[in-house]
Amino acid sequence: MRPAPCASTTASRAAEASTSGRGAAPQQNHRWLAALRQQNSSSGRRWQSGQQQQLSSALSQRGQRLQAATSPPFFERGSSSLDEAAGGAQLTAASGAVGQERIGVLLLNLGGPDSLDDVQPFLYNLFADPDIIRLPAPAQFLQPVIAQLVSTLRAPKSREGYEAIGGGSPLRRITEEQAAALRASLQSKGISAHTYVAMRYWFPFTEEAISAVKRDGITQLVVLPLYPQFSVSTSGSSLRLLERLLKQDPMLTGVKHVVIPSWYQRPGYVRAMADLIVAELRSGAFPAEELDDVEIFFSAHGVPVSYIDEGDPYKEEMEECVQLVMGELKRRGIANSHTLAYQSRVGPVEWLKPYTDDSIRDLARGGVRSLLAVPISFVSEHIETLEEIDCEYRELAEESGIQHWGRVPALNTNPTFIDDLADAVAEALPYVGSLQRPAGALPLSAGDSLVPLGEVDALLETYDRDRKALPTPVLMWRWGWTKSAETWNGRIAMLALVLILLLEATTGRGVLTLTRMLEMHHLMPPPS
Ligand SMILES: C=CC1=C(C)c2cc3[nH]c(cc4nc(cc5[nH]c(cc1n2)c(C)c5CCC(=O)O)C(CCC(=O)O)=C4C)c(C)c3C=C
Ligand SMILES: [Fe+2]
């Protein structure tokens, strides 16, 4: 993998934040996740292996049958008239055709700035999201002000990163390529579907995608977050927005949907990751005689520890995902040692540990000389792979004594991966609009699917019900000088905020009004 052209990154290296002594957080799953796991284990199954037969019998109970004994398609290639009507497909059930459906697949992703001018407004949208900066209820009216402050403080460091990778994020281009490849793969399986890219914080916004879903007359929608592991900060935030959009538009009530909240356990995804790791190991980046000593270093995007304390399954899913990939490697005769660490922390609270930078230093100190970085929470190249891993962490590794460095590319449009996503969509289609929710029972009854499935409101409802009270964030601020720019950004933001509020409270004519901060104009998604 050729590294991106890296500017000198020493000055902007991920902050060496001092940490609190807080112990490991108790793990608390979403109830839906735990319930689905139980259903699967009680029937002696896991989501990952070939379970076409069980799936087939589960589906026939629902009056639907598989077209083939092996992998889907569940759908016959439509007549030419159906093919002509883009998005049309013929759903086959035990009783025969049940009518024409127009299928859509909504791909959820985060979005990224297209140019350097977009960086601050993109960051504003991100920090204005209550699933990213979580404030206690009485302080929530301050979200726009805090978003303005934090995005303004963060923008220079962020802009530097985007500049180093060519002046903007490649996320939109790659996600659109994935959407086109997924559509083609579905077509090759006999499923005619539209695919839509729905970004959370930048163009094409989720609102635009939903307008297109409406315009195309989609009747069955499969919602597929492009995050293999579920976090409330990513997939959860997008689902919350989606829930709002679906509720507020009566024309969308006719669109039946199903969500695939996480899919890291799918065999095709695990295989594709293992393929990429093996290819990179054999790329020549490492001396042949040292191949067994290469440390396989999984680097995942972090989240604040408080998210996990509240029940976000992200950490557990990440650990399970790494185990699955390592298991696949072992089956191929690769038994290297591995590490999972978390990158990209932002702000003054405690994030998931170990931190990637600390881990790299520790491994080097412990004698590791060859390191293969594997981005594990990302399926596309973007700033955190191209700049943070390829530049910052590579430079840190070299300074720390790592002599041989490799980095596994992101999956992007890897054919095994796209084919597996298409299978995930095909397998989810029979569940569209059919998940039963008997009163008082668990909201999901899709325990027979290969991956857990749900509907937007049911998933969020379960998450919110099980969510524990927001713990007081563990601030990592210590008075005194530290090297950490992040920590200082956090301190400055909080001090500025306190001053603003004090002025507002004491004069009644606060800075918010004088500077018209509450009337900020940002690039926001168009109304749907
Ligand atoms: C699994 C993936 C991701 C998780 C979890 C996640 C949580 C999370 N992120 C921030 C803050 C920022 N994220 C930024 C960009 C960004 N993050 C992800 C993925 C996850 N984020 C992606 C795909 C991107 C887009 C990258 C691109 O190429 O444009 C940024 C902006 C970039 C930067 O300044 O570093 C910020 C800021 C928080 C606070 C958070 C959890 C609470
Ligand atoms: Fe992020």
Side-chain angles (χ1 to χ4, degrees):
M1 170 89 211
R2 254 175 353 119
C6 301
S8 175
T9 51
T10 314
S12 61
R13 171 158 307 145
E16 289 173 59
S18 55
T19 58
S20 79
R22 193 168 153 118
Q27 291 196 355
Q28 179 81 16
N29 279 327
H30 286 305
R31 192 180 300 175
W32 58 265
L33 188 74
L36 288 169
R37 290 216 159 123
Q38 208 184 347
Q39 279 175 1
N40 277 278
S41 60
S42 62
S43 58
R45 301 194 292 113
R46 302 272 313 151
W47 292 312
Q48 62 257 11
S49 43
Q51 302 139 335
Q52 213 58 56
Q53 264 192 317
Q54 283 119 317
L55 183 63
S56 172
S57 79
L59 291 172
S60 60
Q61 280 167 17
R62 288 164 199 273
Q64 295 165 330
R65 70 173 166 79
L66 290 171
Q67 294 274 303
T70 54
S71 61
F74 303 113
F75 297 88
E76 287 171 340
R77 183 179 289 279
S79 65
S80 60
S81 62
L82 279 178
D83 281 348
E84 276 155 29
Q90 188 94 20
L91 176 62
T92 305
S95 56
V98 295
Q100 186 173 326
E101 298 284 355
R102 294 175 73 82
I103 296 170
V105 183
L106 191 70
L107 299 173
L108 307 178
N109 211 336
L110 192 128
D114 298 313
S115 72
L116 296 183
D117 287 342
D118 297 340
V119 171
Q120 190 275 330
F122 158 75
L123 289 175
Y124 174 86
N125 290 343
L126 185 128
F127 291 121
D129 178 357
D131 279 314
I132 288 283
I133 292 190
R134 317 174 96 183
L135 299 171
Q140 273 164 11
F141 74 100
L142 285 170
Q143 189 99 30
V145 182
I146 293 175
Q148 180 67 12
L149 276 171
V150 179
S151 63
T152 305
L153 288 167
R154 173 83 184 172
K157 178 186 188 311
S158 240
R159 227 178 269 122
E160 210 182 292
Y162 284 109
E163 199 166 11
I165 63 165
S169 172
L171 201 57
R172 177 181 189 161
R173 175 182 55 77
I174 297 170
T175 311
E176 283 171 349
E177 286 168 7
Q178 288 168 330
L182 178 61
R183 184 180 174 155
S185 180
L186 284 167
Q187 192 69 58
S188 76
K189 294 171 192 291
I191 299 170
S192 203
H194 278 292
T195 50
Y196 303 90
V197 171
M199 298 295 196
R200 181 67 182 87
Y201 307 117
W202 206 244
F203 297 96
F205 285 107
T206 309
E207 288 82 348
E208 297 174 59
I210 288 298
S211 293
V213 165
K214 239 165 70 177
R215 182 198 62 213
D216 294 340
I218 296 300
T219 57
Q220 298 204 331
L221 190 64
V222 177
V223 180
L224 179 60
L226 282 176
Y227 308 97
Q229 308 84 8
F230 182 92
S231 168
V232 76
S233 65
T234 52
S235 311
S237 164
S238 278
L239 293 181
R240 217 175 279 284
L241 172 60
L242 200 55
E243 182 187 40
R244 245 189 348 260
L245 297 175
L246 292 176
K247 273 207 179 118
Q248 77 193 21
D249 189 337
M251 274 181 72
L252 288 167
T253 50
V255 183
K256 288 170 284 174
H257 76 269
V258 70
V259 183
I260 308 174
S262 62
W263 38 268
Y264 63 91
Q265 63 289 70
R266 290 195 58 86
Y269 165 76
V270 171
R271 230 180 17 251
M273 287 303 298
D275 289 347
L276 292 180
I277 292 172
V278 171
E280 196 58 30
L281 276 173
R282 295 183 180 151
S283 67
F286 304 102
E289 65 281 7
E290 288 180 28
L291 275 185
D292 290 347
D293 300 325
V294 176
E295 181 74 16
I296 301 180
F297 186 84
F298 294 92
S299 189
H301 197 303
V303 293
V305 167
S306 61
Y307 285 57
I308 309 301
D309 289 350
E310 280 185 60
D312 194 331
Y314 181 73
K315 177 172 181 277
E316 193 183 356
E317 295 198 358
M318 191 61 70
E319 288 168 358
E320 197 173 63
C321 176
V322 166
Q323 287 311 317
L324 290 172
V325 175
M326 287 310 298
E328 175 68 20
L329 289 174
K330 205 167 245 169
R331 273 190 290 281
R332 300 182 191 192
I334 294 168
N336 292 45
S337 98
H338 75 278
T339 300
L340 166 63
Y342 295 91
Q343 65 176 86
S344 317
R345 66 191 183 276
V346 183
V349 297
E350 187 184 13
W351 282 52
L352 277 182
K353 285 182 190 153
Y355 298 144
T356 294
D357 46 3
D358 290 342
S359 262
I360 291 174
R361 284 191 206 93
D362 287 349
L363 287 168
R365 231 176 271 130
V368 169
R369 290 293 162 261
S370 300
L371 192 143
L372 175 58
V374 185
I376 188 71
S377 45
F378 315 114
V379 295
S380 324
E381 298 294 354
H382 64 289
I383 191 168
E384 269 120 18
T385 56
L386 298 170
E387 200 277 332
E388 204 170 341
I389 298 182
D390 287 351
C391 301
E392 297 186 32
Y393 294 136
R394 182 185 182 141
E395 197 178 308
L396 172 67
E398 286 168 358
E399 283 169 11
S400 308
I402 303 283
Q403 287 161 3
H404 308 288
W405 166 274
R407 202 269 281 177
V408 163
L411 288 161
N412 293 347
T413 52
N414 174 290
T416 310
F417 162 60
I418 295 292
D419 183 65
D420 192 52
L421 279 189
D423 282 348
V425 170
E427 289 158 21
L429 272 170
Y431 293 101
V432 171
S434 74
L435 298 179
Q436 305 140 9
R437 269 174 290 148
L442 281 165
L444 303 180
S445 61
D448 292 311
S449 83
L450 298 183
V451 294
L453 299 170
E455 284 175 12
V456 170
D457 54 348
L459 287 170
L460 292 173
E461 190 189 299
T462 314
Y463 175 77
D464 289 337
R465 194 179 49 229
D466 292 351
R467 191 172 153 181
K468 291 193 247 148
L470 193 68
T472 314
V474 180
L475 297 182
M476 298 192 298
W477 302 346
R478 272 199 217 138
W479 295 109
W481 186 255
T482 77
K483 279 192 281 178
S484 163
E486 285 300 319
T487 309
W488 277 99
N489 280 349
R491 288 175 186 173
I492 291 164
M494 289 312 287
L495 272 178
L497 193 64
V498 169
L499 282 176
I500 287 166
L501 292 176
L502 273 176
L503 266 172
E504 194 87 73
T506 50
T507 66
R509 291 184 65 238
V511 175
L512 297 185
T513 324
L514 292 176
T515 58
R516 304 175 61 156
M517 245 188 159
L518 290 172
E519 295 170 36
M520 290 169 299
H521 298 290
H522 287 280
L523 261 178
M524 292 301 278
S528 51

